[in-house]
Amino acid sequence: MASTATKRSGAEWAHGTYEAMAPVYDDFTAHHEYDLWIPDLLKLLERHGLRGKRLLDVGCGTGKSFLEMLPRGWEVTACDISPAMIERARAKVGDRVEFAVADMLDLPRFGKFDLVWALDDAVNYLLSPAELAQALAGMHANLAPTGLLLFDVNELLAYRTFFSGTEVIERGGRRLVWRGLEQADVAPGSICESRLEVLSEGGDRKGEAPTLTHRQRHFTEDEVREALAKAGLECLDVYGHGLDGIPRRPLDTETHTKAIYIAGPAAG
Ligand SMILES: C[S@@+](CC[C@H](N)C(=O)[O-])C[C@H]1O[C@@H](n2cnc3c(N)ncnc32)[C@H](O)[C@@H]1O
């Protein structure tokens, strides 16, 4: 799919995609079990001395990635490039969370956070290792000296399966048809595309959301480690998981659809 590439940055692509997807995002991801995933991620962070309760959620979407943190007493600042996604998140929590529309490629300094995270492949919308390093540097600038950074990236297996197949979800009176445009032999570092069609339950075009394109880049472990180092961060741990969402070490690119990276400010 890289042959259709334009000069648009990942941020421009993501903005267009998520402005259109906001009305159906929660239906499309209703089966994602954040009530199980988030406690598992917190356990990994605790092994690295997680302390304090200030969270910056980068690419927060409709809020799924921070909702589990509020009952745990965390103070949350959340940002996303899509105002429509933020509005949906705000409707869930009002002023209990501080929101900002922000591009992770140009992240403001919101403060010094004990934890900065970007969940559910938000960083795969960055389309080059240089963009990844730039975003990570912005996240680093928002970390307290003892703070931790966590993000997940889609592994090659996700592009060889989910981005290469068709899935249909019927929910909320709509039929959501995900059509992966890739092949089962996607190469490492590829830019991959998928289309999402929003139809009525009967299969007619709904009109409220057009067919929208997801455009993501696969990042190899070497590329992620190099981007972390360029951003002044030390990679502390790497886990992987499959569709069961249970993090395991070591990352196994044959069976894991996601990798999870934990990092902190590099010493010196
Ligand atoms: C798959 S959604 C995940 C949302 C949320 N983190 C969650 O776990 O439900 C990816 C999110 O990343 C956001 N995003 C992608 N590129 C971005 C960028 N350059 N800056 C800020 N947000 C971005 C999208 O708008 C979208 O809301």
Side-chain angles (χ1 to χ4, degrees):
M1 282 300 121
S3 58
T4 60
T6 69
K7 294 273 184 228
R8 283 209 279 166
S9 71
E12 288 167 307
W13 273 100
H15 177 270
T17 301
Y18 280 95
E19 283 297 277
M21 192 174 182
V24 300
Y25 185 81
D26 283 353
D27 284 338
F28 187 68
T29 59
H31 57 292
H32 292 191
E33 296 178 306
Y34 281 75
D35 55 327
L36 302 177
W37 197 39
I38 299 293
D40 279 350
L41 297 182
L42 288 173
K43 272 184 221 145
L44 307 186
L45 289 160
E46 279 156 14
R47 285 183 203 159
H48 289 283
L50 178 67
R51 65 177 89 159
K53 294 221 164 197
R54 293 165 300 173
L55 167 67
L56 174 62
D57 185 349
V58 178
C60 66
T62 61
K64 293 179 149 211
S65 40
F66 65 68
L67 283 175
E68 291 288 327
M69 300 299 269
L70 298 177
R72 290 174 166 79
W74 283 72
E75 267 172 50
V76 178
T77 298
C79 65
D80 199 281
I81 197 156
S82 161
M85 293 293 274
I86 295 242
E87 281 322 305
R88 275 166 173 81
R90 199 196 302 277
K92 294 174 187 170
V93 295
D95 59 9
R96 286 191 293 151
V97 167
E98 204 145 312
F99 288 104
V101 174
D103 179 356
M104 68 171 99
L105 282 172
D106 190 17
L107 213 52
R109 295 203 180 189
F110 292 109
K112 289 291 179 192
F113 293 85
D114 305 302
L115 175 60
V116 176
W117 69 20
L119 295 189
D120 207 11
D121 46 78
V123 302
N124 285 110
Y125 289 91
L126 303 168
L127 295 181
S128 68
E131 286 192 1
L132 180 61
Q134 191 175 327
L136 293 175
M139 295 182 206
H140 182 183
N142 278 285
L143 271 183
T146 56
L148 294 172
L149 168 68
L150 183 149
F151 58 95
D152 64 279
V153 293
N154 274 337
E155 273 307 312
L156 211 45
L157 185 57
Y159 297 109
R160 291 178 171 175
T161 53
F162 187 48
F163 271 74
S164 305
T166 300
E167 282 201 22
V168 180
I169 290 175
E170 294 201 337
R171 212 180 152 89
R174 300 184 185 93
R175 181 181 296 176
L176 307 174
V177 184
W178 172 271
R179 293 187 199 282
L181 300 181
E182 302 307 320
Q183 306 293 324
D185 60 352
V186 174
S190 294
I191 291 175
C192 299
E193 284 189 358
S194 185
R195 301 255 159 82
L196 182 69
E197 293 165 17
V198 181
L199 308 170
S200 69
E201 227 163 9
D204 301 327
R205 199 153 291 277
K206 194 85 172 158
E208 64 189 280
T211 297
L212 46 106
T213 302
H214 282 261
R215 191 172 175 79
Q216 292 197 350
R217 188 186 190 280
H218 168 253
F219 293 103
T220 65
E221 184 173 342
D222 283 351
E223 286 175 331
V224 175
R225 285 180 178 276
E226 203 173 309
L228 282 167
K230 277 191 181 149
L233 290 157
E234 181 186 354
C235 185
L236 300 173
D237 231 332
V238 186
Y239 291 80
H241 67 64
L243 296 179
D244 64 3
I246 301 172
R248 293 187 172 87
R249 262 185 319 211
L251 170 64
D252 174 4
T253 55
E254 295 295 311
T255 60
H256 290 152
T257 49
K258 271 193 191 300
I260 294 165
Y261 290 88
I262 298 175

